[in-house]
Amino acid sequence: MKDYLRPFLKNRKAMFLAYDHGFEHGPKDLIGKSLDPEYILDLAVKGGYTGIILQKGIAEKYYTGTKYQRQIPLILKINGKTNLRSQEEPYSAINCSVEYAKELGAQAVGYTIYLGSEWEAKMFEDFGKIQEEAHSLGLAAIAWIYPRGKAVLNETSSGITQYAARIGLELGADLIKIKYSGSEETMREVIKTAGKTKVVLSGGPKTEKEEFLEEIKKVISAGAVGVAVGRNVWQRDEALAITKKIRQIIFQ
Ligand code: FBP
């Protein structure tokens, strides 16, 4: 089977910079310089990230055909939702085709599945098609798998995170982006459950620096291939300095 993730891995490890928050959370997340997509792209290149995560419009206007396209591979996030509607039973609509993602220069597509939501069946159906199309075009299929909805009592318990990991494997995701399950031991089980599907940690809201780095150390030691982080990096003035620390942990 083709290694669709090859463009994104360095020594079999990954370090992705996520920047789809203007859509998901609104501009309130885009503090200071991070409002400017070019600042983020420069940070991604200078910081040695192995992939950048963008929505379609930002890719079109700031990535495709620019120097950045030659400098860093793109994961195009092809669905998105705002945080304005009730979050009780989330569904995130597709806003870009896999074919167009490829035209924009993406080497992977990303899609969020809210495991446990009333709409999970629709998301499984969407991702099923996306995964097949991505592979037929030579792109990797990456799933953000976030347990959410009334049926989910604890979104980051080890049991539900393990379930998310298995769903990623069974749906054929090349890589999944999931939240921290609370400890290195439980993450080890989660990653084992994902089998040959690779796992990266989803960063979460900005936290205390040492706590964040400690979490990364644990997930890497548990077998994750890397991280896909946003706010914990670019919401800091010292974004490049924390990037260096993350890079050392991942690629050491
Ligand atoms: P962060 O590192 O900032 O948490 O980014 C990861 C991410 O998955 C983004 O790609 C996405 O915009 C956001 O978190 C979604 O967060 P949530 O749905 O948990 O509020």
Side-chain angles (χ1 to χ4, degrees):
M1 172 144 177
K2 184 176 168 192
D3 184 4
Y4 296 99
L5 289 171
R6 212 153 70 100
F8 298 96
L9 299 179
K10 192 176 139 203
N11 300 333
R12 286 191 261 160
K13 292 281 167 45
M15 188 171 88
F16 301 149
L17 192 62
Y19 187 62
D20 57 342
H21 305 64
F23 199 136
E24 296 289 330
H25 299 158
K28 71 167 173 36
D29 263 16
L30 308 176
I31 295 166
K33 290 187 270 186
S34 68
L35 185 64
D36 177 5
E38 276 176 356
Y39 167 74
I40 297 291
L41 280 153
D42 279 334
L43 171 65
V45 171
K46 283 190 198 126
Y49 285 88
T50 66
I52 177 87
I53 299 164
L54 303 173
Q55 282 274 356
K56 170 166 88 173
I58 294 195
E60 274 179 338
K61 292 183 173 56
Y62 295 89
Y63 177 89
T64 312
T66 71
K67 62 179 179 190
Y68 301 116
Q69 189 171 350
R70 295 185 298 276
Q71 292 171 326
I72 184 164
L74 171 67
I75 298 161
L76 200 86
K77 187 74 200 318
I78 60 169
N79 70 339
K81 65 162 187 51
T82 71
N83 64 2
L84 299 175
R85 307 281 308 182
S86 154
Q87 298 298 296
E88 261 197 354
E89 300 300 329
Y91 172 72
S92 179
I94 299 173
N95 58 50
C96 179
S97 67
V98 178
E99 218 175 356
Y100 192 57
K102 183 167 180 169
E103 258 178 62
L104 291 177
Q107 297 183 71
V109 286
Y111 177 91
T112 304
I113 296 169
Y114 295 105
L115 181 63
S117 159
E118 261 174 29
W119 303 100
E120 67 166 25
K122 169 91 179 105
M123 292 178 264
F124 294 153
E125 196 181 337
D126 286 352
F127 188 76
K129 290 187 191 142
I130 288 163
Q131 187 260 13
E132 288 174 22
E133 209 181 332
H135 285 179
S136 74
L137 293 172
L139 273 62
I142 300 182
W144 281 221
I145 310 190
Y146 295 162
R148 221 160 272 182
K150 285 195 291 288
V152 177
L153 300 179
N154 177 348
E155 293 177 3
T156 54
S157 73
S158 56
I160 196 78
T161 312
Q162 215 174 343
Y163 203 167
R166 194 67 184 190
I167 292 290
L169 172 64
E170 303 216 8
L171 283 174
D174 299 296
L175 179 140
I176 53 170
K177 180 170 183 303
I178 54 172
K179 310 250 177 191
Y180 185 53
S181 61
S183 69
E184 185 174 331
E185 294 67 37
T186 56
M187 276 313 282
R188 190 164 287 123
E189 288 309 305
V190 167
I191 290 160
K192 206 201 289 173
T193 308
K196 288 188 179 176
T197 288
K198 295 189 166 53
V199 176
V200 295
L201 174 76
S202 179
K206 185 177 159 198
T207 49
E208 206 269 309
K209 191 169 88 187
E210 287 312 318
E211 189 189 320
F212 175 60
L213 294 172
E214 208 39 49
E215 192 174 299
I216 297 179
K217 275 186 200 149
K218 287 181 184 157
V219 295
I220 296 298
S221 147
V225 296
V227 298
V229 290
R231 290 164 289 178
N232 259 298
V233 170
W234 43 252
Q235 284 187 345
R236 295 176 202 275
D237 288 336
E238 70 292 9
L240 261 179
I242 194 161
T243 293
K244 189 172 169 203
K245 293 208 155 85
I246 299 171
R247 204 171 58 225
Q248 279 164 351
I249 298 170
I250 297 177
F251 297 104
Q252 223 164 41

